[in-house]
Amino acid sequence: MLKTYDLATLNARAKNDPKGFIEESEAAYLKQIDDTAELLGERLAERPILLLNGPSSAGKTTTADRLCRAIERRGIRSQRISMDDYYLSRDSYSMPYDEENDVVDLESPLCMDLQLLSDHLHRLAKGEEILVPSFDFVTGRQTLNVTPMRLSKDEIVIIEGIHSLNDVITGGLEEQSSCVYLSIEAQVQDGQGGRFTPEVLRFARRALRDAHFRSASVVETIRQWLSIRRGERLYIAPYRHHAEFTIDTYLPYESNILYPALRETLTEHLDALEKADLREAYRAATLFEPIDYLPYIPEASVLHEFIG
């Protein structure tokens, strides 16, 4: 069930108590991390592989890191693999096309070497060494860098990515893996009879992340959005049932940072927002009031994944 917030309350807290608002939001997120780490530690002997899944901009990278830290505080060593490093070089294959939205289908599992990742996970479970590849999003190519990895006894490996619960990955690992699903499991009521859905809240994360870290402008993200949502329906939702645990990564104060930062840019692209079924994103940009966050946001906040 989605957690529901009130826009007026969020704005009031952003204005009157930014420090307390941020601390409370971060503490609730970290409690979920800690509770999940406790459960994972209890089943380590039988399940040394953690598959971390969720839609675009759910906060998988940062949450994987936080889970590693929480697990290590319990005396358990951990390692991480990002599925992003298993993307194929874009000039090495014919990229799939989303004809429905007339864009390249960057969400497709065909863009990734899932067979290699599956082989690597099976080998890790057997105690064998693998060489983890590296992908450069700026060049769109695999690099020459590889990282040796071997899973020791009483050690856990965390694999995060949008396809981590795909049957190609989970097949044969059911008894050796745990599955965690991440997403924004929240909505914001605007006080005017409308609401901002989890998808609208998550769009702001994706738009700023791509602009900061993936050489994609906000308007490019807008144009890709319907294909992103299609990919979630086709490639993520059918496998969500594998997840045993869910973590809500929404920080109630985050929209008071993200949407004011997008306000000017979104104003310039109203037609593109309309075509992408993102008209509510512009409205969010006009209604969320900014928060003075720099003195209070923790260095380890999941938001740094999107705003730097």
Side-chain angles (χ1 to χ4, degrees):
M1 180 179 294
L2 295 179
K3 188 165 185 178
T4 299
Y5 297 94
D6 174 69
L7 176 64
T9 301
L10 298 184
N11 282 340
R13 293 212 64 190
K15 179 181 179 181
N16 300 321
D17 184 23
K19 182 176 184 292
F21 191 18
I22 290 171
E23 289 177 349
E24 179 183 304
S25 300
E26 295 285 347
Y29 166 72
L30 290 176
K31 184 178 186 306
Q32 294 179 82
I33 299 291
D34 206 54
D35 290 347
T36 304
E38 184 70 24
L39 295 171
L40 294 173
E42 292 172 358
R43 50 167 53 188
L44 173 64
E46 296 80 25
R47 298 174 183 264
I49 295 173
L50 170 59
L51 301 172
L52 198 63
N53 182 256
S56 173
S57 298
K60 294 180 290 294
T61 301
T62 301
T63 302
D65 180 70
R66 299 301 163 267
L67 277 171
C68 281
R69 297 186 188 191
I71 288 167
E72 288 171 356
R73 286 196 297 272
R74 288 162 170 79
I76 301 169
R77 293 181 59 198
S78 64
Q79 299 193 61
R80 288 173 54 196
I81 293 177
S82 171
M83 284 191 70
D84 286 353
D85 285 320
Y86 287 79
Y87 271 109
L88 298 164
S89 293
R90 292 177 184 172
D91 59 358
S92 69
Y93 69 108
S94 296
M95 297 182 70
Y97 200 75
D98 174 3
E99 295 184 359
E100 179 183 335
N101 297 296
D102 196 28
V103 294
V104 173
D105 187 1
L106 298 175
E107 311 302 308
S108 170
L110 297 176
C111 297
M112 310 190 83
D113 196 340
L114 295 189
Q115 290 292 349
L116 176 63
L117 178 56
S118 177
D119 175 67
H120 278 183
L121 296 184
H122 280 85
R123 288 171 58 192
L124 283 173
K126 296 176 183 177
E128 299 176 8
E129 183 177 90
I130 64 170
L131 296 177
V132 180
S134 174
F135 185 82
D136 186 332
F137 275 97
V138 175
T139 64
R141 295 181 54 82
Q142 286 278 336
T143 75
L144 297 178
N145 299 323
V146 294
T147 303
M149 180 180 292
R150 185 190 300 271
L151 198 59
S152 303
K153 184 180 180 180
D154 296 327
E155 186 175 29
I156 192 169
V157 61
I158 298 177
I159 298 91
E160 53 93 359
I162 63 173
H163 299 299
S164 60
L165 299 188
N166 188 294
D167 288 341
V168 175
I169 301 299
T170 59
L173 291 172
E174 293 86 353
E175 302 303 317
Q176 297 165 296
S177 62
S178 299
C179 303
V180 176
Y181 185 81
L182 311 178
S183 189
I184 286 181
E185 299 285 303
Q187 61 182 351
V188 177
Q189 293 180 335
D190 65 4
Q192 304 170 15
R195 67 188 181 100
F196 300 119
T197 65
E199 293 73 30
V200 169
L201 300 177
R202 189 158 46 82
F203 163 76
R205 289 181 170 189
R206 171 79 183 231
L208 287 172
R209 184 204 68 182
D210 286 1
H212 285 307
F213 304 116
R214 302 209 172 173
S215 300
S217 67
V218 172
V219 70
E220 288 177 279
T221 300
I222 294 171
R223 290 169 179 163
Q224 194 74 28
W225 187 247
L226 288 179
S227 186
I228 293 168
R229 296 286 295 125
R230 170 182 172 273
E232 292 166 1
R233 292 193 301 271
L234 293 178
Y235 310 132
I236 299 177
Y239 307 107
R240 182 173 177 174
H241 67 277
H242 289 305
E244 303 152 279
F245 312 105
T246 298
I247 295 176
D248 176 11
T249 66
Y250 185 64
L251 301 173
Y253 73 89
E254 70 174 70
S255 298
N256 295 94
I257 297 175
L258 305 180
Y259 268 114
L262 287 168
R263 186 174 299 166
E264 183 176 348
T265 302
L266 295 188
T267 301
E268 298 170 354
H269 299 290
L270 296 181
D271 288 345
L273 288 169
E274 186 71 25
K275 291 177 182 177
D277 197 22
L278 280 169
R279 62 190 67 85
E280 288 299 290
Y282 170 70
R283 216 163 59 82
T286 65
L287 293 177
F288 277 100
E289 298 295 338
I291 183 173
D292 178 21
Y293 68 93
L294 286 176
Y296 312 117
I297 186 170
E299 289 185 11
S301 176
V302 68
L303 282 191
H304 290 301
E305 190 172 326
F306 312 107
I307 63 176

